[in-house]
Amino acid sequence: LLPSRFMLQTNDELYTVPNCDLSEEDFRQLNFGRAVHSGTLLTVLGTIMQSGEMLRYYRTFWDVIGMEMEGSYYLREILRARSQGTLRDDVRLRFAYYTSDTPLEVDSSLAAKLSIEEGVVPVYAITRVVLRRILDPSS
């Protein structure tokens, strides 16, 4: 998941990610066989996962591509530092998330150990794309 903006669930406030230089195409070029999605990520407190109705609302009304638990907070502090002049406006931001294919069922756990096929390939792809941008910004 490549967020172009974050939405904080507590107040539905949107934070656009400025100067992001990661794209879906960066990942497709690796041919690692996983779907890549760009769009809004919802920052949740955790309890929303208990409400299918709320999940459908954010998916259909706000076109949210996924959810996570801290992105809005990090981005808000980055934006604050930029507005205060302690962080340059041209600093590149790179947010990328790997989403497990493990189904969330009644007896399952998000803390379950992932198989090599589930975790290594997408995490390695994120690492490769980010390092490529750092080492060769023109790529």
Side-chain angles (χ1 to χ4, degrees), residues 87-104:
L87 182 66
R88 294 189 339 237
D89 289 343
D90 64 345
V91 170
R92 296 286 180 197
L93 302 181
R94 298 178 177 107
F95 289 92
Y97 290 80
Y98 156 65
T99 304
S100 171
D101 295 334
T102 305
L104 186 58

Side-chain angles (χ1 to χ4, degrees), residues 8-93:
L8 184 55
Q9 178 215 347
T10 55
N11 59 7
D12 287 350
E13 189 168 351
L14 287 170
Y15 299 96
T16 299
V17 178
N19 289 342
C20 182
D21 68 347
L22 298 179
S23 70
E24 291 181 38
E25 186 59 28
D26 292 325
F27 290 90
R28 288 194 186 103
Q29 289 174 359
L30 296 178
N31 294 320
F32 73 107
R34 301 292 174 104
V36 180
H37 305 279
S38 295
T40 303
L41 273 182
L42 180 67
T43 301
V44 299
L45 300 176
T47 56
I48 193 172
M49 291 187 71
Q50 299 170 5
S51 172
E53 184 177 321
M54 288 304 296
L55 292 172
R56 281 188 295 282
Y57 163 76
Y58 281 105
R59 177 69 182 133
T60 57
F61 188 77
W62 290 103
D63 201 27
V64 166
I65 61 168
M67 58 186 169
E68 51 78 57
M69 297 182 74
E70 59 266 324
S72 291
Y73 302 108
Y74 286 118
L75 183 56
R76 189 168 55 187
E77 291 306 312
I78 290 168
L79 297 175
R80 183 184 333 236
R82 289 178 68 191
S83 71
Q84 294 172 340
T86 56
L87 182 66
R88 294 189 339 237
D89 289 343
D90 64 345
V91 170
R92 296 286 180 197
L93 302 181

